[in-house]
Amino acid sequence: MSRELSRTSLAAAAETTVTALAIAGDDAAYGELVRRRQGQIRSLLRRLCRDASLADDLSQQTFLQAWRRLPTLESPAAFGAWLRKVAVSIWLQHVRSHSERAQEAAPEPAYEPLVGARLDLDRALLQLPEDARLCVVLAYSEGMSHREIAAATAMPLGTVKSHIARGAARLRDLLCAYA
Amino acid sequence: MPESDAHLTRLFAETRHVLSAEEFVANVTQRIARERRRGTVRKVLIAGVLAGVAVAATPYVTEGSLAIGDRLAGGVPAVAAAATSSPIGWVCAIAIAVWALRRARATTGR
């Protein structure tokens, strides 16, 4: 395998190959990984954030952090799941460091009925507490199992299950109210 | 999975954001390049500081090692000193060093 592949070849290469090249220090290969995975990570963080520019900034931090830690990635095949964990970790760091300020500036939205207002899924998600929102998004948007979510968020398994059950029920209520 | 959960899963999939990649990729690439430059500058600074410390410490280290050498040389008989500076002395010293290395390897190998 040549150390450097052209951009066209990179775009056509399997993700494990591109990841292996990126681990070996190929910046073009890492750029290709960013191109492939940016949609997933930005979408995940937009579900969790209140604003798109913050979500994009956190997504950039995710890719930067992943680039720093890339040599520690043992299996190139695990890149997607590993990157998602990095994103969750970046989000949790952000929530912890901004929780006090956020509570003062913009209190957690109360469970108000939003009948009559335009209620899409993203707005409904914002009605959930942050931990519950994180668990629901990881479960339903990313398809992660309860155990994987517990491992990624460092929450106890029981708490994860409870957040998902309550969060999903709350989402269904909000979406039904809108319908 | 209950039907309502399947409904939520489908809803999440259908409403996934479609986002343009180019500007985002360019921003990430810029941040990585900046990080790499910072790393290089940090390495150069650390190497410079270490080199400065080494240069500053060299006279003291040299002086100390010469003093120790002088003190040790006082205890070595003149014949032994002459032997080590002869070709035969060198060969013997190498043989002793090889023997000592093999012994050390055998000890750690166990």
PDB file of all heavy atoms in Angstrom, chain B residues 56-83:
ATOM      1  N   ALA B  56      25.048  25.418  29.780  1.00  0.00           N
ATOM      2  CA  ALA B  56      25.349  26.065  31.065  1.00  0.00           C
ATOM      3  C   ALA B  56      25.951  25.074  32.058  1.00  0.00           C
ATOM      4  O   ALA B  56      26.806  25.439  32.875  1.00  0.00           O
ATOM      5  CB  ALA B  56      24.061  26.670  31.633  1.00  0.00           C
ATOM      6  N   ALA B  57      25.516  23.804  31.977  1.00  0.00           N
ATOM      7  CA  ALA B  57      25.980  22.820  32.966  1.00  0.00           C
ATOM      8  C   ALA B  57      27.312  22.190  32.584  1.00  0.00           C
ATOM      9  O   ALA B  57      28.003  21.631  33.444  1.00  0.00           O
ATOM     10  CB  ALA B  57      24.918  21.734  33.126  1.00  0.00           C
ATOM     11  N   THR B  58      27.688  22.279  31.302  1.00  0.00           N
ATOM     12  CA  THR B  58      28.889  21.579  30.825  1.00  0.00           C
ATOM     13  C   THR B  58      30.164  21.882  31.632  1.00  0.00           C
ATOM     14  O   THR B  58      30.872  20.948  32.043  1.00  0.00           O
ATOM     15  CB  THR B  58      29.117  21.880  29.323  1.00  0.00           C
ATOM     16  OG1 THR B  58      27.993  21.393  28.608  1.00  0.00           O
ATOM     17  CG2 THR B  58      30.361  21.206  28.791  1.00  0.00           C
ATOM     18  N   PRO B  59      30.514  23.169  31.930  1.00  0.00           N
ATOM     19  CA  PRO B  59      31.753  23.424  32.683  1.00  0.00           C
ATOM     20  C   PRO B  59      31.763  22.727  34.039  1.00  0.00           C
ATOM     21  O   PRO B  59      32.786  22.157  34.431  1.00  0.00           O
ATOM     22  CB  PRO B  59      31.750  24.941  32.862  1.00  0.00           C
ATOM     23  CG  PRO B  59      30.832  25.466  31.827  1.00  0.00           C
ATOM     24  CD  PRO B  59      29.837  24.403  31.563  1.00  0.00           C
ATOM     25  N   TYR B  60      30.585  22.737  34.705  1.00  0.00           N
ATOM     26  CA  TYR B  60      30.530  22.114  36.044  1.00  0.00           C
ATOM     27  C   TYR B  60      30.674  20.604  35.955  1.00  0.00           C
ATOM     28  O   TYR B  60      31.388  19.981  36.736  1.00  0.00           O
ATOM     29  CB  TYR B  60      29.204  22.469  36.734  1.00  0.00           C
ATOM     30  CG  TYR B  60      29.001  23.957  36.851  1.00  0.00           C
ATOM     31  CD1 TYR B  60      28.151  24.648  35.988  1.00  0.00           C
ATOM     32  CD2 TYR B  60      29.709  24.688  37.813  1.00  0.00           C
ATOM     33  CE1 TYR B  60      27.995  26.014  36.072  1.00  0.00           C
ATOM     34  CE2 TYR B  60      29.550  26.069  37.903  1.00  0.00           C
ATOM     35  CZ  TYR B  60      28.695  26.727  37.034  1.00  0.00           C
ATOM     36  OH  TYR B  60      28.543  28.078  37.106  1.00  0.00           O
ATOM     37  N   VAL B  61      30.020  20.007  34.949  1.00  0.00           N
ATOM     38  CA  VAL B  61      30.088  18.555  34.771  1.00  0.00           C
ATOM     39  C   VAL B  61      31.516  18.143  34.422  1.00  0.00           C
ATOM     40  O   VAL B  61      32.070  17.188  34.979  1.00  0.00           O
ATOM     41  CB  VAL B  61      29.097  18.096  33.664  1.00  0.00           C
ATOM     42  CG1 VAL B  61      29.291  16.616  33.335  1.00  0.00           C
ATOM     43  CG2 VAL B  61      27.658  18.347  34.097  1.00  0.00           C
ATOM     44  N   THR B  62      32.135  18.900  33.509  1.00  0.00           N
ATOM     45  CA  THR B  62      33.510  18.582  33.091  1.00  0.00           C
ATOM     46  C   THR B  62      34.463  18.693  34.287  1.00  0.00           C
ATOM     47  O   THR B  62      35.283  17.786  34.525  1.00  0.00           O
ATOM     48  CB  THR B  62      33.960  19.565  31.987  1.00  0.00           C
ATOM     49  OG1 THR B  62      32.954  19.625  30.997  1.00  0.00           O
ATOM     50  CG2 THR B  62      35.272  19.155  31.373  1.00  0.00           C
ATOM     51  N   GLU B  63      34.292  19.792  35.011  1.00  0.00           N
ATOM     52  CA  GLU B  63      35.166  20.014  36.166  1.00  0.00           C
ATOM     53  C   GLU B  63      35.026  18.876  37.175  1.00  0.00           C
ATOM     54  O   GLU B  63      36.009  18.331  37.680  1.00  0.00           O
ATOM     55  CB  GLU B  63      34.763  21.342  36.827  1.00  0.00           C
ATOM     56  CG  GLU B  63      35.882  21.996  37.639  1.00  0.00           C
ATOM     57  CD  GLU B  63      35.410  23.366  38.125  1.00  0.00           C
ATOM     58  OE1 GLU B  63      35.066  24.208  37.259  1.00  0.00           O
ATOM     59  OE2 GLU B  63      35.356  23.561  39.339  1.00  0.00           O
ATOM     60  N   GLY B  64      33.788  18.497  37.432  1.00  0.00           N
ATOM     61  CA  GLY B  64      33.515  17.428  38.406  1.00  0.00           C
ATOM     62  C   GLY B  64      34.085  16.107  37.946  1.00  0.00           C
ATOM     63  O   GLY B  64      34.725  15.393  38.725  1.00  0.00           O
ATOM     64  N   SER B  65      33.894  15.774  36.661  1.00  0.00           N
ATOM     65  CA  SER B  65      34.373  14.473  36.186  1.00  0.00           C
ATOM     66  C   SER B  65      35.900  14.429  36.170  1.00  0.00           C
ATOM     67  O   SER B  65      36.495  13.387  36.461  1.00  0.00           O
ATOM     68  CB  SER B  65      33.797  14.148  34.811  1.00  0.00           C
ATOM     69  OG  SER B  65      34.200  15.123  33.895  1.00  0.00           O
ATOM     70  N   LEU B  66      36.517  15.575  35.869  1.00  0.00           N
ATOM     71  CA  LEU B  66      37.998  15.610  35.901  1.00  0.00           C
ATOM     72  C   LEU B  66      38.505  15.404  37.320  1.00  0.00           C
ATOM     73  O   LEU B  66      39.483  14.681  37.557  1.00  0.00           O
ATOM     74  CB  LEU B  66      38.495  16.947  35.343  1.00  0.00           C
ATOM     75  CG  LEU B  66      38.457  17.089  33.810  1.00  0.00           C
ATOM     76  CD1 LEU B  66      38.866  18.499  33.401  1.00  0.00           C
ATOM     77  CD2 LEU B  66      39.370  16.068  33.151  1.00  0.00           C
ATOM     78  N   ALA B  67      37.812  16.057  38.275  1.00  0.00           N
ATOM     79  CA  ALA B  67      38.223  15.920  39.684  1.00  0.00           C
ATOM     80  C   ALA B  67      38.093  14.478  40.135  1.00  0.00           C
ATOM     81  O   ALA B  67      39.003  13.933  40.779  1.00  0.00           O
ATOM     82  CB  ALA B  67      37.352  16.835  40.558  1.00  0.00           C
ATOM     83  N   ILE B  68      36.997  13.815  39.752  1.00  0.00           N
ATOM     84  CA  ILE B  68      36.800  12.411  40.139  1.00  0.00           C
ATOM     85  C   ILE B  68      37.870  11.539  39.481  1.00  0.00           C
ATOM     86  O   ILE B  68      38.470  10.658  40.104  1.00  0.00           O
ATOM     87  CB  ILE B  68      35.379  11.933  39.742  1.00  0.00           C
ATOM     88  CG1 ILE B  68      34.338  12.645  40.599  1.00  0.00           C
ATOM     89  CG2 ILE B  68      35.234  10.419  39.887  1.00  0.00           C
ATOM     90  CD1 ILE B  68      32.914  12.494  40.125  1.00  0.00           C
ATOM     91  N   GLY B  69      38.143  11.800  38.188  1.00  0.00           N
ATOM     92  CA  GLY B  69      39.167  11.043  37.459  1.00  0.00           C
ATOM     93  C   GLY B  69      40.529  11.159  38.128  1.00  0.00           C
ATOM     94  O   GLY B  69      41.229  10.165  38.305  1.00  0.00           O
ATOM     95  N   ASP B  70      40.870  12.395  38.524  1.00  0.00           N
ATOM     96  CA  ASP B  70      42.166  12.626  39.198  1.00  0.00           C
ATOM     97  C   ASP B  70      42.245  11.816  40.484  1.00  0.00           C
ATOM     98  O   ASP B  70      43.252  11.176  40.775  1.00  0.00           O
ATOM     99  CB  ASP B  70      42.319  14.116  39.517  1.00  0.00           C
ATOM    100  CG  ASP B  70      42.733  14.899  38.273  1.00  0.00           C
ATOM    101  OD1 ASP B  70      43.067  14.235  37.253  1.00  0.00           O
ATOM    102  OD2 ASP B  70      42.670  16.137  38.298  1.00  0.00           O
ATOM    103  N   ARG B  71      41.138  11.871  41.260  1.00  0.00           N
ATOM    104  CA  ARG B  71      41.137  11.180  42.554  1.00  0.00           C
ATOM    105  C   ARG B  71      41.295   9.673  42.347  1.00  0.00           C
ATOM    106  O   ARG B  71      42.053   9.015  43.039  1.00  0.00           O
ATOM    107  CB  ARG B  71      39.836  11.485  43.296  1.00  0.00           C
ATOM    108  CG  ARG B  71      39.887  11.040  44.744  1.00  0.00           C
ATOM    109  CD  ARG B  71      38.684  11.537  45.516  1.00  0.00           C
ATOM    110  NE  ARG B  71      38.666  13.004  45.595  1.00  0.00           N
ATOM    111  CZ  ARG B  71      37.654  13.697  46.093  1.00  0.00           C
ATOM    112  NH1 ARG B  71      36.586  13.080  46.543  1.00  0.00           N
ATOM    113  NH2 ARG B  71      37.705  15.020  46.154  1.00  0.00           N
ATOM    114  N   LEU B  72      40.578   9.116  41.336  1.00  0.00           N
ATOM    115  CA  LEU B  72      40.655   7.671  41.078  1.00  0.00           C
ATOM    116  C   LEU B  72      42.035   7.281  40.547  1.00  0.00           C
ATOM    117  O   LEU B  72      42.571   6.239  40.902  1.00  0.00           O
ATOM    118  CB  LEU B  72      39.571   7.241  40.081  1.00  0.00           C
ATOM    119  CG  LEU B  72      38.137   7.279  40.605  1.00  0.00           C
ATOM    120  CD1 LEU B  72      37.150   6.908  39.492  1.00  0.00           C
ATOM    121  CD2 LEU B  72      37.957   6.327  41.798  1.00  0.00           C
ATOM    122  N   ALA B  73      42.575   8.135  39.692  1.00  0.00           N
ATOM    123  CA  ALA B  73      43.889   7.830  39.102  1.00  0.00           C
ATOM    124  C   ALA B  73      44.973   7.745  40.174  1.00  0.00           C
ATOM    125  O   ALA B  73      45.938   6.985  40.043  1.00  0.00           O
ATOM    126  CB  ALA B  73      44.250   8.892  38.078  1.00  0.00           C
ATOM    127  N   GLY B  74      44.803   8.489  41.248  1.00  0.00           N
ATOM    128  CA  GLY B  74      45.765   8.448  42.347  1.00  0.00           C
ATOM    129  C   GLY B  74      45.858   7.074  42.973  1.00  0.00           C
ATOM    130  O   GLY B  74      46.911   6.675  43.468  1.00  0.00           O
ATOM    131  N   GLY B  75      44.740   6.313  42.940  1.00  0.00           N
ATOM    132  CA  GLY B  75      44.710   4.996  43.581  1.00  0.00           C
ATOM    133  C   GLY B  75      45.137   3.868  42.660  1.00  0.00           C
ATOM    134  O   GLY B  75      45.322   2.744  43.091  1.00  0.00           O
ATOM    135  N   VAL B  76      45.314   4.148  41.354  1.00  0.00           N
ATOM    136  CA  VAL B  76      45.688   3.083  40.408  1.00  0.00           C
ATOM    137  C   VAL B  76      47.218   3.053  40.282  1.00  0.00           C
ATOM    138  O   VAL B  76      47.835   4.096  40.063  1.00  0.00           O
ATOM    139  CB  VAL B  76      45.060   3.362  39.021  1.00  0.00           C
ATOM    140  CG1 VAL B  76      45.490   2.306  38.011  1.00  0.00           C
ATOM    141  CG2 VAL B  76      43.549   3.397  39.140  1.00  0.00           C
ATOM    142  N   PRO B  77      47.814   1.859  40.410  1.00  0.00           N
ATOM    143  CA  PRO B  77      49.275   1.776  40.279  1.00  0.00           C
ATOM    144  C   PRO B  77      49.721   2.192  38.866  1.00  0.00           C
ATOM    145  O   PRO B  77      48.961   2.037  37.917  1.00  0.00           O
ATOM    146  CB  PRO B  77      49.582   0.292  40.504  1.00  0.00           C
ATOM    147  CG  PRO B  77      48.363  -0.297  41.088  1.00  0.00           C
ATOM    148  CD  PRO B  77      47.212   0.570  40.721  1.00  0.00           C
ATOM    149  N   ALA B  78      50.937   2.692  38.764  1.00  0.00           N
ATOM    150  CA  ALA B  78      51.457   3.186  37.486  1.00  0.00           C
ATOM    151  C   ALA B  78      51.488   2.075  36.443  1.00  0.00           C
ATOM    152  O   ALA B  78      51.221   2.301  35.256  1.00  0.00           O
ATOM    153  CB  ALA B  78      52.855   3.763  37.691  1.00  0.00           C
ATOM    154  N   VAL B  79      51.787   0.822  36.860  1.00  0.00           N
ATOM    155  CA  VAL B  79      51.868  -0.308  35.926  1.00  0.00           C
ATOM    156  C   VAL B  79      50.490  -0.570  35.301  1.00  0.00           C
ATOM    157  O   VAL B  79      50.354  -0.774  34.091  1.00  0.00           O
ATOM    158  CB  VAL B  79      52.357  -1.579  36.674  1.00  0.00           C
ATOM    159  CG1 VAL B  79      52.412  -2.774  35.722  1.00  0.00           C
ATOM    160  CG2 VAL B  79      53.711  -1.319  37.297  1.00  0.00           C
ATOM    161  N   ALA B  80      49.427  -0.534  36.148  1.00  0.00           N
ATOM    162  CA  ALA B  80      48.071  -0.801  35.654  1.00  0.00           C
ATOM    163  C   ALA B  80      47.649   0.282  34.682  1.00  0.00           C
ATOM    164  O   ALA B  80      47.048  -0.013  33.645  1.00  0.00           O
ATOM    165  CB  ALA B  80      47.102  -0.849  36.838  1.00  0.00           C
ATOM    166  N   ALA B  81      47.994   1.539  35.024  1.00  0.00           N
ATOM    167  CA  ALA B  81      47.641   2.658  34.137  1.00  0.00           C
ATOM    168  C   ALA B  81      48.327   2.483  32.780  1.00  0.00           C
ATOM    169  O   ALA B  81      47.713   2.672  31.728  1.00  0.00           O
ATOM    170  CB  ALA B  81      48.047   3.976  34.770  1.00  0.00           C
ATOM    171  N   ALA B  82      49.614   2.072  32.823  1.00  0.00           N
ATOM    172  CA  ALA B  82      50.364   1.866  31.573  1.00  0.00           C
ATOM    173  C   ALA B  82      49.765   0.717  30.778  1.00  0.00           C
ATOM    174  O   ALA B  82      49.656   0.779  29.547  1.00  0.00           O
ATOM    175  CB  ALA B  82      51.827   1.582  31.894  1.00  0.00           C
ATOM    176  N   ALA B  83      49.307  -0.349  31.491  1.00  0.00           N
ATOM    177  CA  ALA B  83      48.737  -1.529  30.817  1.00  0.00           C
ATOM    178  C   ALA B  83      47.449  -1.170  30.084  1.00  0.00           C
ATOM    179  O   ALA B  83      47.226  -1.606  28.958  1.00  0.00           O
ATOM    180  CB  ALA B  83      48.483  -2.645  31.834  1.00  0.00           C
TER     181      ALA B  83
END
